[in-house]
Amino acid sequence: MPHVVFIAPRFLENTNRYVRAFALLEGVTLSLVSADPESAIPESLRAKVAGHYRIDNCVDASALAVAVRALADGVGRVDRLAGALEQLQMPMAEVRDALGIEGIGSEVARNFRDKDRMKDVLRAAGVPVARSGLATSMTALRMFIERVGLPVIVKPQAGVGARATYRITSAAELDALAAQGVVPTESKPLQVEEFVHAREHTCETVTIRGKAVWRSGTRYFPTPLEALESPWMQYCVLLPREDENTEHTKFHPVNDAALTALFGASASTAAGTALTHMEWFLRDDGTALVNEVGVRPPGVGIMPLMSIAHEADLWEDWAELVSFDRFTPKARKWAAGAAFLRGHGGGDHIVAVEGLEEAVAAAGDALVEIRTPKVGMARAEGYEGEGWATVRSATTDGAKQALLALIDRVRIHYG
Ligand SMILES: Nc1ncnc2c1ncn2[C@@H]1O[C@H](COP(=O)(O)OP(=O)(O)OP(=O)(O)O)[C@@H](O)[C@H]1O
Ligand SMILES: [Mg+2]
C-alpha cells in the first residue's frame, strides 16, 4: 500500500475535500501534516488517517522535512508527498529531494514557481510567451520598457492571486508606482512583461509520467487583472460544453509542448504525473501565448466546475492520480460556470445585499450551488469576492446566460 502524506495546512472546507478524497481512496495509507491540531481533522475521516504531524508553518521546508521524516519513522516509508496549494509546491519539492521521495524535485518545481524562469524555459522550447524579463533595478525596468514599449505588466517573480500585479500604461504611472514603493531591487526583483491584449483561458491537463491523458479548459471573463483594476466587476469562469474542435483543442499542441518543456528530463518519472493548471492568452488574430502554469489542481472554483461538467469528483480523481499514476478520462456532460460576487463602493465590510432572490429565480434550473454574500462580512481581498455561485447547462450559451442572470442582479454594497 502506498503511503501518501498530504499537507493540509488547515482543515478548511476546500482543503477537506482533498483530505476526504485521500482518506476514502482504497489501498492507500494516508498521513497528514497540518498547522491545525489533530483535533481539527474532520471527525468522520479520523479513523482513516494513519499518522498526523503538526508544524507551525507548512511552507517552511525544514519543518516540513522534520514532519515527513517523523511520519516515515512512525508509519512507514513515504511514497508520495502531495499538497494542492501553490505555496506548498517548492517546499514539498525540497523535502522530496532531501528524503528521496519520488515526484517533483526542486529543479522542476522552480520551472513552475519562478515566473521568469518559466518563461525562459518555455521560450527556449519554442513555446509562444510574452516578452519578459526580471528587473533588478529601476534602470533595468525602464530599459525593458524602452525596448518593448508600453503597456507592460509588473508582477512578483513568484506571485499568486494576481496580488501586487500592475498594468503600466504611461511613464507617469511608472513614477506613481515607484512612489508607492514598488521598486525592483537585486534582492526583490520584479517580473516585467509585455502587456498581452487577449482573452484569458485555462487548460487543465492530467499527465501520467509526462503523457497528457485528459484535458479540460475554461475561459475567464473579465480577466483577473481587469477584475482587480475594477473592484465593482463581478468575475466569472466558464467551462464550455464542447470538448472538441474548439479554440481549446487548437491550443492542445502548445499545452503539450509547454508541459514537456517544464517537466524536462523528469517528464517520464512520477514527477510527470500531475494535474496542471495552465493560464493562456488567445489574441483576436487567433494566436495563443502561454501565461503561466501551476503544477497543482486549479483554483478559482475550477475543481467544482470540472466536477459538475463531467459528473465526477475531481478531488477523488486527483487523489487517485497522484497515489497510483491512474486516471480514467471523463466525458463532458454539461457546460458549467462560476460567478464570483463582489461589492461596490468603499468600506471594509458588506452593508447591503440586493437582488439575490431575483438572481436565483433568473438562473433557474441552471443554478447548482450558491454561497450568498452576507451583511457584515469583511470585504474580500482578491478577485474571488465574498460569495459565489455555480451553474450548469446543456449548452455553453445556457451556462453563460445563467452567469449573466446572476451577476446582473446581485448587488453587494460595502460600507
Ligand atoms: N503579460 C501579461 N499581459 C496581460 N495581462 C497579464 C500579463 N501577465 C499577467 N496578466 C494579468 O494579470 C493576472 C495575474 O497574473 P499571473 O497569472 O501571472 O499572476 P498570479 O499572481 O499567478 O495570478 P493567479 O494566482 O491569479 O493565477 C493574469 O491573470 C492577467 O489577467
Ligand atoms: Mg495566474
Side-chain angles (χ1 to χ4, degrees), residues 163-241:
R163 260 168 242 141
T165 297
Y166 308 97
R167 179 200 323 227
I168 297 172
T169 59
S170 67
E173 275 178 24
L174 182 60
D175 294 340
L177 207 59
Q180 267 182 53
V182 183
V183 174
T185 61
E186 283 288 342
S187 61
K188 268 189 110 183
L190 284 175
Q191 173 78 2
V192 53
E193 296 182 2
E194 149 198 15
F195 187 86
V196 181
H197 295 275
R199 292 186 282 166
E200 274 186 73
H201 292 257
T202 73
C203 183
E204 281 63 51
T205 312
V206 172
T207 49
I208 295 183
R209 301 206 170 234
K211 197 176 170 310
V213 296
W214 186 75
R215 291 189 180 88
S216 169
T218 73
R219 175 167 169 205
Y220 295 157
F221 59 109
T223 69
L225 182 69
E226 286 164 340
L228 274 182
E229 285 177 347
S230 311
W232 47 269
M233 274 186 190
Q234 317 268 30
Y235 170 65
C236 297
V237 179
L238 180 70
L239 196 162
R241 169 71 179 83

Side-chain angles (χ1 to χ4, degrees), residues 33-161:
V33 176
S34 67
D36 272 350
E38 191 172 346
S39 58
I41 300 173
E43 182 97 47
S44 61
L45 305 176
R46 234 171 265 167
K48 303 271 189 183
V49 180
H52 173 263
Y53 199 97
R54 202 199 78 78
I55 51 178
D56 285 334
N57 181 4
C58 290
V59 301
D60 172 350
S62 46
L64 201 53
V66 169
V68 177
R69 249 192 212 107
L71 291 166
D73 290 344
V75 179
R77 198 183 73 120
V78 174
D79 299 293
R80 291 285 186 274
L81 186 56
L85 292 182
E86 174 70 17
Q87 295 89 334
L88 287 171
Q89 303 309 317
M90 255 337 281
M92 283 196 305
E94 286 169 34
V95 173
R96 288 193 199 100
D97 285 343
L99 276 66
I101 300 170
E102 267 194 281
I104 291 180
S106 32
E107 272 300 299
V108 173
R110 257 201 295 278
N111 288 349
F112 288 94
R113 188 68 188 122
D114 174 340
K115 287 181 198 275
D116 183 50
R117 173 162 153 156
M118 180 188 297
K119 290 232 154 72
D120 282 348
V121 169
L122 294 175
R123 214 175 275 123
V127 175
V129 291
R131 282 177 290 174
S132 66
L134 194 67
T136 52
S137 67
M138 212 56 199
T139 313
L141 180 53
R142 285 187 203 282
M143 274 167 63
F144 180 91
I145 292 173
E146 230 160 74
R147 191 156 53 80
V148 167
L150 288 168
V152 294
I153 277 277
V154 170
K155 56 188 173 183
Q157 189 175 1
V160 70

